[in-house]
Amino acid sequence: MKRLLARPRLPRPRLRPAAAVLTAVAALLLPLTATQSAHAATTTCDPQGTISAGDYTIQANEWNSTAQQCVTYNGATAWSLDTANFGLPTSGAPATYPSIYKGCHWGACTPNSGLPIQISRLGSATSSWSTTQVGSGAYDVAYDLWINSTPTTTGQPDGTEIMIWLNSRGGVQPFGGKTGTSSAAGHNWDVWTGNQTSWKIISYVLQGGATSVNGLDVKALIDDAVGRGSVNTAHYLIDAEAGFEVWQGGQGLGTNSFSFSASTGGGNTGGDTQAPSVPGTPTVSGTTASSVSLAWAPSTDNVGVTGYDVYRGGQLAGSVTGTSFTDTGLSASTAYAYTVKAHDAAGNVSAASPAVTATTASGGGNPPPGGGCSATYAVSNDWGSGFTANVTVTSGGSPIHGWTVGWTYPGGQKITNAWNATVTQSGASVTAANASYNGSLGASASTSFGFQGTGSGAVPTLTCTAS
């Protein structure tokens, strides 16, 4: 799953079955107008397989089932779920979320996405989506927008997950509880909110349902979420996905066409249209095996510069208000190219500075083993008969190359599936070992894994052993 493939989605169990299924609204149904380009069909049956679709990526994203699923790409942005016969109860997490996305999903980024964008600087975000839905099974038809506190992340985003449900059937409901209604973006929505362990979830469920939307004002929904306290405007929109969470059935679901675009600006109400001057060429003020420090001469502006965006290889690495920045989490002995853009309070953005290339220092060989580690256990959801939980593993003062976490359940809990670790259980005793991609941790670094189980989610005492 490393190797720049999309990571599994963390589960969001639906705690209450719906009383009725959303039905399609004829006024919102839109015919497919985009002509699909000729393309030889490409199919993946890998649970975490991905297929490139130009500026988009199609992901199989089967994370909570071992049943076979096959996704076929038919050209342009069209794809279908050709093999699927899931059979999970709707009271728990879905089996899969096959979807198409633009942006950066768990560190896997699409080209020319325009993302990430800080919410306070989001000028517009629109999308059109035409779907094929089937009359059996249990599933939702939903966007998934991920918002993170920093411009990039290779793990679980820690800000807000915004879901936009166009339709559903089979009695499934969003995570959390219904807390209101909204008329944002010119449609009527039921609004559901809830909190996971490290991020918020807000879902907009289209009243009446639909199979297609055209020019949906996604920014209006984001603004609505900001107004409800679910989104921090200092955070970043990093990823926009659209697909099907499937509990039961699923074969025949598909996307006929999809588009998503987002841009900065649009918030300029004071008449300021002048962009700041180009920042000075950044200079490298220091490097380590995992970081690069930069500094640059400031920009000028007719009103005032409010901050700078630093780009690494064309992707936003971070935003600062001053004229220096340290980029962390890099690979040793690797060259990185950086540019800087300035922005003002009206959303005007300068041209990019000239680029500078920095090479990180050598890693200096393998550090000795035995740096030590600790682990913390947190229940993210508990619905009586089942639960989901996350464990965070943190290295000590020295790097480690692998880890094993153990615990004993006090009340007969049984783990049914897990992600980001190999988890085994014998009676009440559980052992979790790192996956191939998250065993090596730098000093005082962290990673996490999660799982779903039966029984109540009581918190056990953990042990952590490093190698």
Side-chain angles (χ1 to χ4, degrees):
M1 287 187 301
K2 193 70 171 169
R3 304 190 313 279
L4 296 182
L5 297 184
R7 299 287 182 91
R9 291 165 50 82
L10 296 182
R12 295 190 302 277
R14 273 50 181 177
L15 305 184
R16 298 182 297 277
V21 177
L22 293 175
T23 57
V25 176
L28 288 174
L29 302 185
L30 299 172
L32 177 63
T33 57
T35 301
Q36 304 296 342
S37 60
H39 176 88
T42 302
T43 298
T44 179
C45 298
D46 181 343
Q48 290 301 313
T50 61
I51 302 172
S52 176
D55 289 342
Y56 301 86
T57 294
I58 297 163
Q59 56 180 354
N61 212 5
E62 181 185 353
W63 58 271
N64 190 32
S65 173
T66 58
Q68 186 177 48
Q69 170 187 274
C70 295
V71 175
T72 297
Y73 172 46
N74 298 309
T77 53
W79 58 276
S80 57
L81 191 54
D82 291 340
T83 301
N85 187 25
F86 298 105
L88 298 187
T90 58
S91 58
T96 184
Y97 180 61
S99 49
I100 185 170
Y101 75 88
K102 175 182 277 190
C104 292
H105 176 86
W106 269 250
C109 301
T110 62
N112 307 313
S113 71
L115 299 175
I117 296 176
Q118 196 168 31
I119 299 299
S120 62
R121 298 175 57 208
L122 183 63
S124 66
T126 58
S127 178
S128 297
W129 186 20
S130 171
T131 70
T132 295
Q133 300 175 21
V134 295
S136 61
Y139 60 87
D140 63 49
V141 183
Y143 288 85
D144 207 3
L145 311 178
W146 287 100
I147 295 171
N148 194 60
S149 62
T150 58
T152 58
T153 178
T154 57
Q156 170 65 51
D158 61 2
T160 306
E161 179 184 10
I162 301 178
M163 296 203 75
I164 306 170
W165 284 38
L166 298 191
N167 217 338
S168 68
R169 66 161 291 113
V172 299
Q173 289 185 337
F175 173 81
K178 182 180 175 181
T179 55
T181 60
S182 173
S183 58
H187 302 292
N188 294 321
W189 313 87
D190 292 328
V191 182
W192 294 62
T193 57
N195 291 314
Q196 286 280 19
T197 303
S198 59
W199 76 98
K200 298 178 180 179
I201 300 177
I202 182 169
S203 300
Y204 292 85
V205 180
L206 182 64
Q207 294 178 5
T211 58
S212 301
V213 288
N214 186 27
L216 178 66
D217 188 352
V218 175
K219 182 180 183 298
L221 291 165
I222 295 175
D223 290 344
D224 186 274
V226 170
R228 296 172 189 271
S230 291
V231 172
N232 185 338
T233 58
H235 290 182
Y236 296 81
L237 174 63
I238 62 174
D239 178 30
E241 308 172 27
F244 310 93
E245 288 186 308
V246 183
W247 284 258
Q248 299 168 13
Q251 185 162 312
L253 293 169
T255 287
N256 305 315
S257 63
F258 176 74
S259 66
F260 179 87
S261 62
S263 62
T264 57
N268 184 357
T269 58
D272 179 15
T273 60
Q274 181 174 324
S277 65
V278 177
T281 303
T283 58
V284 180
S285 56
T287 61
T288 69
S290 61
S291 68
V292 169
S293 295
L294 304 168
W296 57 89
S299 297
T300 58
D301 186 66
N302 62 318
V303 175
V305 174
T306 57
Y308 299 87
D309 298 328
V310 181
Y311 291 83
R312 180 198 330 112
Q315 295 290 334
L316 184 63
S319 298
V320 292
T321 57
T323 56
S324 62
F325 173 75
T326 297
D327 191 17
T328 60
L330 306 177
S331 299
S333 304
T334 304
Y336 296 93
Y338 293 91
T339 58
V340 180
K341 296 181 181 180
H343 57 82
D344 62 19
N348 301 307
V349 181
S350 75
S353 71
V356 66
T357 298
T359 301
T360 51
S362 168
N366 292 327
C373 62
S374 60
T376 58
Y377 185 112
V379 177
S380 51
N381 278 289
D382 188 339
W383 56 98
S385 61
F387 67 96
T388 57
N390 295 290
V391 173
T392 300
V393 179
T394 303
S395 62
S398 301
I400 62 176
H401 299 294
W403 47 262
T404 303
V405 179
W407 66 89
T408 300
Y409 274 128
Q413 298 90 338
K414 297 292 184 182
I415 293 177
T416 56
N417 62 85
W419 49 95
N420 293 341
T422 300
V423 179
T424 57
Q425 183 170 0
S426 176
S429 298
V430 179
T431 301
N434 61 269
S436 61
Y437 52 82
N438 62 1
S440 294
L441 298 175
S444 302
S446 296
T447 188
S448 63
F449 63 93
F451 45 88
Q452 184 173 3
T454 59
S456 178
V459 177
T461 299
L462 305 186
T463 61
C464 187
T465 305
S467 59

